[in-house]
Amino acid sequence: MALSTAEDIRNIAIVGHGGAGKTTLAEAMLFAAEATERMGSVEEGNTASDFEEEERERKISIDTAILHLTWKGKEINILDTPGYPEFVGQVLSALRAIDAVVLVVSGPAGVELNTRKCWRYAEEESLAKFIVLSKMDEENVDFDKLVKSMQDIFGRGLVPLNLPLGKGSGLKGTIGVLDSREGLETDVPKALDRVREQLIEAAVEADDELLERYLEGQELGEEEMAGALAQAIARGKVVPILSTAAMRGLGVAQLLHALAEFAPSPLDSSREFFLIKGEEKEPLESADSRFSAQVFKTMTDPYVGKLSFLRVFSGKATNDTVLYNPRTNRSVKAGQFLRIKGKEQTPLAEVLPGDIVAVAKTEDLAVSDTLHGKRDTGVFKPIHFPQPMVSLAIEPKSRGDEQRLSTALSKLSEEDSTFIVSRELQTNELVITGMSALHLEIMLNRLKRRFEVEVVAKPPKIPYKETITTTAEAQYRHKKQTGGRGQYGEVYLKLDPLGRGAGFEFVDEIAGGAIPSQYIPAVEKRIRQVLEKGVIAGYPVTDVRASLYDGSYHTVDSSEIAFKIAANRAFQEGFRRAQPCLLEPIVLLEVSVPNEFMGYITSDLSGRRGRILGMDSLGDLLVVRALVPMAEITRYATELRSRTGGQGFYTVAFSHYDVVPHKIQEELVAKTKAKEG
Ligand SMILES: Nc1nc2c(ncn2[C@@H]2O[C@H](COP(=O)(O)OP(=O)(O)OP(=O)(O)O)[C@@H](O)[C@H]2O)c(=O)[nH]1
Ligand SMILES: [Mg+2]
């Protein structure tokens, strides 16, 4: 399929709260544009977007689906993004590829938490916005109230571009505000006039000349009007609201029409793109003839291998074009560009500025990579992903699967930037971290289905540490001198507590050769071994200084081994005398919830031994910052979600180590003893 020009491309992402009706809308758009022969449904698991097994079974979107249709000569690329908060990484990467968002707001539910978040992301990326009211065929939807509440939240730039005809199950269709009114009955024309006026005012406001003529009462030409509206939309001054009932196909053609007419083409986008070269930023015009593109998503396909999805920002490329990647400083031949339609791919001979396409067999490419047609060091701004915070420790069910597990995990984390795999140094556990318990569950299912590796998962161990709180001295003499060659070594140690984070220090204070210098490294080495294993509960020791200040030796019987034994005993003894304690990691927790949950959050955090640092109100959202022991929030994600009906979210970051309260320390010590038998 040869495209005519970049002006005919429209790149949009459908975003919104979970279950708002995005996938159903995309399906209805494909069907209306005859890109599909039948309209699938989420319930039946046969939509173009939700084709992956996990999506079909759960009836939710997990990955962004890339779809394509042609409407009246316009090539429309649609990115259907997931709405549940754990998949926000998919939304953020999709936004990098497009020029306009279609924010779906469920008619019955109104504005929800994720509606606001998506609005904010779209604003941050300077994207044109369209609002689609979905499920307008459901009962108890009050169109006027809905529009007013959205205008209160998002501003007066929101103006309906169509109106629903009828209500609930009696919804007959929708009427375009700018359409001809012939044959219309009832009171709709009155409302239409009013809205039409609002729309025209909002559209001409940004254009002084038009505004003047309009205020003088001059009739504006249809084309002039459309041009002004398109510009106002591209700049975010006007946000059209369109009513739909996608399951019944109502309002869908009007939406397609609005996108084709008023959504900015890649050339008209008000987004600014620049290539970063060290400290410099070089603006990039989409009319620039140099080929440049950014990878916004990758996927491992069982049949074609790794697919990388690109948004082309400037220039053209063919399959022979050699793509240069400044991150790896390597070039790869494009090989085969592909147009993506859900799970189907069709080969393309050429790609244009603004295109969204895939390339196959590109193992080297990673999300955020910049690609050039010529050698160039400039890179596009990397896509910023949130830090995931829910972890599980995993190990393969069958021994010998370690290698397969690690290959599979690295593939999964390559295609999902919010899924992180790490080996914890202290606990030696393989830990996976994701956005939520559901996210991790989905990943483990994918491991099983796609890579045939099964694992056992449990909460990761908390990396406690051991330290001392006072100074103490200890001595040990190791002596065995009966028969044959003897063993002899004696050490005197002084242990001092050090400040948090200081680690371990060894000081050699031996004077006058009380211990010959060749044995001293053995003393230090043995103590460092004890540090790793711990003394009171099996956790590594930290923030301690050990000073070797005296000792004795025997000219024949002393050996490294003898001094090591003495060092071990003296250190353990000294450690126990120096009022040892356990340290636990404390994290900085930032919780955002609607104001109504303030009471719950504060009492819950104090129950978790948390210390509240501050509270801020952002509109009706409350942001609470607190220091909380890591051990107290291992299941916080699930609990917060269920208590706030999914309206709360949070971030965590490591803060510092602090002393474990005595009672909890006793329990931990007892647990270790029980394990050791
Ligand atoms: N009555 C009615 N229900 C709808 C309509 N569109 C979608 N639904 C229902 O709403 C539910 C969610 O629809 P989806 O299309 O999966 O919503 P989504 O926004 O894609 O969901 P996620 O991608 O998981 O966030 C499904 O049960 C749909 O059948 C509509 O026009 N009318
Ligand atoms: Mg969906």
mmCIF file of all heavy atoms in Angstrom, residues 383-406:
data_model
loop_
_atom_site.group_PDB
_atom_site.id
_atom_site.type_symbol
_atom_site.label_atom_id
_atom_site.label_comp_id
_atom_site.label_asym_id
_atom_site.label_seq_id
_atom_site.Cartn_x
_atom_site.Cartn_y
_atom_site.Cartn_z
ATOM 1 N N ILE A 383 11.979 7.727 26.662
ATOM 2 C CA ILE A 383 10.639 7.632 27.248
ATOM 3 C C ILE A 383 10.807 7.385 28.743
ATOM 4 O O ILE A 383 11.599 6.537 29.151
ATOM 5 C CB ILE A 383 9.838 6.487 26.588
ATOM 6 C CG1 ILE A 383 9.748 6.740 25.083
ATOM 7 C CG2 ILE A 383 8.449 6.362 27.202
ATOM 8 C CD1 ILE A 383 9.269 5.548 24.286
ATOM 9 N N HIS A 384 10.083 8.150 29.521
ATOM 10 C CA HIS A 384 10.245 8.038 30.964
ATOM 11 C C HIS A 384 9.190 7.094 31.550
ATOM 12 O O HIS A 384 8.002 7.334 31.395
ATOM 13 C CB HIS A 384 10.127 9.430 31.589
ATOM 14 C CG HIS A 384 10.316 9.405 33.059
ATOM 15 N ND1 HIS A 384 11.541 9.185 33.637
ATOM 16 C CD2 HIS A 384 9.440 9.523 34.074
ATOM 17 C CE1 HIS A 384 11.402 9.179 34.944
ATOM 18 N NE2 HIS A 384 10.134 9.381 35.231
ATOM 19 N N PHE A 385 9.640 6.021 32.199
ATOM 20 C CA PHE A 385 8.706 5.047 32.770
ATOM 21 C C PHE A 385 8.689 5.156 34.292
ATOM 22 O O PHE A 385 9.707 5.492 34.898
ATOM 23 C CB PHE A 385 9.110 3.630 32.369
ATOM 24 C CG PHE A 385 8.957 3.377 30.909
ATOM 25 C CD1 PHE A 385 10.047 3.452 30.054
ATOM 26 C CD2 PHE A 385 7.711 3.094 30.372
ATOM 27 C CE1 PHE A 385 9.899 3.233 28.698
ATOM 28 C CE2 PHE A 385 7.555 2.878 29.014
ATOM 29 C CZ PHE A 385 8.653 2.952 28.175
ATOM 30 N N PRO A 386 7.542 4.833 34.902
ATOM 31 C CA PRO A 386 7.507 4.873 36.365
ATOM 32 C C PRO A 386 8.310 3.705 36.950
ATOM 33 O O PRO A 386 8.513 2.691 36.295
ATOM 34 C CB PRO A 386 6.031 4.723 36.695
ATOM 35 C CG PRO A 386 5.437 4.030 35.521
ATOM 36 C CD PRO A 386 6.247 4.439 34.329
ATOM 37 N N GLN A 387 8.738 3.877 38.184
ATOM 38 C CA GLN A 387 9.499 2.850 38.882
ATOM 39 C C GLN A 387 8.529 1.797 39.417
ATOM 40 O O GLN A 387 7.642 2.128 40.189
ATOM 41 C CB GLN A 387 10.227 3.546 40.042
ATOM 42 C CG GLN A 387 11.206 2.696 40.769
ATOM 43 C CD GLN A 387 12.428 2.417 39.899
ATOM 44 O OE1 GLN A 387 12.768 3.204 39.027
ATOM 45 N NE2 GLN A 387 13.055 1.283 40.133
ATOM 46 N N PRO A 388 8.653 0.533 39.006
ATOM 47 C CA PRO A 388 7.769 -0.486 39.588
ATOM 48 C C PRO A 388 8.163 -0.776 41.028
ATOM 49 O O PRO A 388 9.288 -0.467 41.428
ATOM 50 C CB PRO A 388 8.017 -1.701 38.706
ATOM 51 C CG PRO A 388 9.379 -1.507 38.159
ATOM 52 C CD PRO A 388 9.600 -0.034 38.049
ATOM 53 N N MET A 389 7.238 -1.322 41.850
ATOM 54 C CA MET A 389 7.606 -1.491 43.259
ATOM 55 C C MET A 389 7.053 -2.731 43.925
ATOM 56 O O MET A 389 7.200 -2.903 45.117
ATOM 57 C CB MET A 389 7.194 -0.252 44.041
ATOM 58 C CG MET A 389 5.738 0.050 43.980
ATOM 59 S SD MET A 389 5.531 1.699 43.328
ATOM 60 C CE MET A 389 3.903 1.557 42.644
ATOM 61 N N VAL A 390 6.412 -3.609 43.172
ATOM 62 C CA VAL A 390 5.911 -4.826 43.805
ATOM 63 C C VAL A 390 6.819 -5.978 43.370
ATOM 64 O O VAL A 390 7.015 -6.198 42.183
ATOM 65 C CB VAL A 390 4.447 -5.087 43.389
ATOM 66 C CG1 VAL A 390 3.923 -6.344 44.038
ATOM 67 C CG2 VAL A 390 3.592 -3.891 43.757
ATOM 68 N N SER A 391 7.367 -6.695 44.370
ATOM 69 C CA SER A 391 8.384 -7.701 44.043
ATOM 70 C C SER A 391 8.009 -9.104 44.488
ATOM 71 O O SER A 391 7.260 -9.290 45.446
ATOM 72 C CB SER A 391 9.706 -7.331 44.712
ATOM 73 O OG SER A 391 10.164 -6.107 44.222
ATOM 74 N N LEU A 392 8.547 -10.069 43.788
ATOM 75 C CA LEU A 392 8.439 -11.473 44.179
ATOM 76 C C LEU A 392 9.801 -12.124 43.962
ATOM 77 O O LEU A 392 10.506 -11.784 43.010
ATOM 78 C CB LEU A 392 7.428 -12.208 43.294
ATOM 79 C CG LEU A 392 5.941 -12.059 43.595
ATOM 80 C CD1 LEU A 392 5.127 -12.809 42.545
ATOM 81 C CD2 LEU A 392 5.602 -12.599 44.989
ATOM 82 N N ALA A 393 10.129 -13.059 44.852
ATOM 83 C CA ALA A 393 11.350 -13.843 44.644
ATOM 84 C C ALA A 393 10.915 -15.129 43.945
ATOM 85 O O ALA A 393 9.933 -15.740 44.340
ATOM 86 C CB ALA A 393 11.989 -14.163 45.982
ATOM 87 N N ILE A 394 11.624 -15.497 42.884
ATOM 88 C CA ILE A 394 11.199 -16.696 42.151
ATOM 89 C C ILE A 394 12.369 -17.656 41.941
ATOM 90 O O ILE A 394 13.524 -17.258 41.943
ATOM 91 C CB ILE A 394 10.596 -16.357 40.771
ATOM 92 C CG1 ILE A 394 11.584 -15.556 39.909
ATOM 93 C CG2 ILE A 394 9.314 -15.574 40.923
ATOM 94 C CD1 ILE A 394 11.141 -15.397 38.475
ATOM 95 N N GLU A 395 11.994 -18.941 41.776
ATOM 96 C CA GLU A 395 12.989 -19.921 41.334
ATOM 97 C C GLU A 395 12.286 -20.951 40.465
ATOM 98 O O GLU A 395 11.087 -21.175 40.616
ATOM 99 C CB GLU A 395 13.709 -20.556 42.528
ATOM 100 C CG GLU A 395 12.809 -21.118 43.589
ATOM 101 C CD GLU A 395 13.626 -21.597 44.781
ATOM 102 O OE1 GLU A 395 14.182 -20.739 45.498
ATOM 103 O OE2 GLU A 395 13.705 -22.820 44.948
ATOM 104 N N PRO A 396 13.003 -21.554 39.530
ATOM 105 C CA PRO A 396 12.337 -22.498 38.631
ATOM 106 C C PRO A 396 11.843 -23.723 39.394
ATOM 107 O O PRO A 396 12.473 -24.155 40.361
ATOM 108 C CB PRO A 396 13.427 -22.876 37.625
ATOM 109 C CG PRO A 396 14.710 -22.470 38.241
ATOM 110 C CD PRO A 396 14.422 -21.382 39.215
ATOM 111 N N LYS A 397 10.701 -24.269 38.940
ATOM 112 C CA LYS A 397 10.149 -25.455 39.599
ATOM 113 C C LYS A 397 11.075 -26.635 39.394
ATOM 114 O O LYS A 397 11.304 -27.415 40.299
ATOM 115 C CB LYS A 397 8.773 -25.777 39.017
ATOM 116 C CG LYS A 397 7.658 -25.401 39.967
ATOM 117 C CD LYS A 397 6.319 -25.917 39.516
ATOM 118 C CE LYS A 397 5.258 -25.214 40.369
ATOM 119 N NZ LYS A 397 3.956 -25.173 39.726
ATOM 120 N N SER A 398 11.574 -26.773 38.160
ATOM 121 C CA SER A 398 12.487 -27.901 37.963
ATOM 122 C C SER A 398 13.918 -27.408 37.864
ATOM 123 O O SER A 398 14.201 -26.417 37.178
ATOM 124 C CB SER A 398 12.115 -28.699 36.718
ATOM 125 O OG SER A 398 11.481 -27.899 35.786
ATOM 126 N N ARG A 399 14.776 -28.102 38.564
ATOM 127 C CA ARG A 399 16.194 -27.766 38.532
ATOM 128 C C ARG A 399 16.695 -27.949 37.111
ATOM 129 O O ARG A 399 16.229 -28.825 36.401
ATOM 130 C CB ARG A 399 16.978 -28.694 39.459
ATOM 131 C CG ARG A 399 16.957 -28.182 40.859
ATOM 132 C CD ARG A 399 17.585 -29.173 41.794
ATOM 133 N NE ARG A 399 17.661 -28.546 43.106
ATOM 134 C CZ ARG A 399 18.787 -28.160 43.645
ATOM 135 N NH1 ARG A 399 19.932 -28.344 43.020
ATOM 136 N NH2 ARG A 399 18.780 -27.610 44.835
ATOM 137 N N GLY A 400 17.611 -27.115 36.719
ATOM 138 C CA GLY A 400 18.105 -27.238 35.347
ATOM 139 C C GLY A 400 17.400 -26.254 34.426
ATOM 140 O O GLY A 400 17.790 -26.087 33.287
ATOM 141 N N ASP A 401 16.325 -25.610 34.935
ATOM 142 C CA ASP A 401 15.616 -24.619 34.122
ATOM 143 C C ASP A 401 16.173 -23.211 34.303
ATOM 144 O O ASP A 401 15.629 -22.259 33.752
ATOM 145 C CB ASP A 401 14.127 -24.604 34.491
ATOM 146 C CG ASP A 401 13.303 -25.408 33.495
ATOM 147 O OD1 ASP A 401 13.909 -25.921 32.529
ATOM 148 O OD2 ASP A 401 12.078 -25.516 33.680
ATOM 149 N N GLU A 402 17.234 -23.077 35.090
ATOM 150 C CA GLU A 402 17.763 -21.748 35.421
ATOM 151 C C GLU A 402 18.080 -20.926 34.176
ATOM 152 O O GLU A 402 17.702 -19.770 34.086
ATOM 153 C CB GLU A 402 19.033 -21.853 36.279
ATOM 154 C CG GLU A 402 18.791 -22.132 37.756
ATOM 155 C CD GLU A 402 18.514 -23.599 38.031
ATOM 156 O OE1 GLU A 402 18.614 -24.419 37.082
ATOM 157 O OE2 GLU A 402 18.198 -23.923 39.190
ATOM 158 N N GLN A 403 18.755 -21.561 33.213
ATOM 159 C CA GLN A 403 19.168 -20.814 32.036
ATOM 160 C C GLN A 403 17.972 -20.377 31.215
ATOM 161 O O GLN A 403 17.870 -19.230 30.779
ATOM 162 C CB GLN A 403 20.136 -21.671 31.198
ATOM 163 C CG GLN A 403 20.852 -20.896 30.108
ATOM 164 C CD GLN A 403 21.464 -19.587 30.630
ATOM 165 O OE1 GLN A 403 22.135 -19.565 31.666
ATOM 166 N NE2 GLN A 403 21.190 -18.473 29.934
ATOM 167 N N ARG A 404 17.009 -21.299 31.039
ATOM 168 C CA ARG A 404 15.814 -20.956 30.259
ATOM 169 C C ARG A 404 15.031 -19.853 30.951
ATOM 170 O O ARG A 404 14.489 -18.948 30.311
ATOM 171 C CB ARG A 404 14.940 -22.191 30.063
ATOM 172 C CG ARG A 404 15.496 -23.079 28.963
ATOM 173 C CD ARG A 404 14.712 -24.348 28.796
ATOM 174 N NE ARG A 404 13.305 -24.100 28.544
ATOM 175 C CZ ARG A 404 12.334 -24.883 29.004
ATOM 176 N NH1 ARG A 404 12.626 -25.917 29.759
ATOM 177 N NH2 ARG A 404 11.088 -24.622 28.717
ATOM 178 N N LEU A 405 14.976 -19.941 32.279
ATOM 179 C CA LEU A 405 14.262 -18.910 33.030
ATOM 180 C C LEU A 405 14.914 -17.550 32.816
ATOM 181 O O LEU A 405 14.233 -16.556 32.550
ATOM 182 C CB LEU A 405 14.246 -19.258 34.526
ATOM 183 C CG LEU A 405 13.646 -18.194 35.441
ATOM 184 C CD1 LEU A 405 12.181 -17.947 35.107
ATOM 185 C CD2 LEU A 405 13.767 -18.596 36.913
ATOM 186 N N SER A 406 16.225 -17.514 32.876
ATOM 187 C CA SER A 406 16.851 -16.198 32.786
ATOM 188 C C SER A 406 16.734 -15.631 31.368
ATOM 189 O O SER A 406 16.515 -14.433 31.199
ATOM 190 C CB SER A 406 18.275 -16.226 33.349
ATOM 191 O OG SER A 406 19.200 -16.272 32.325
#
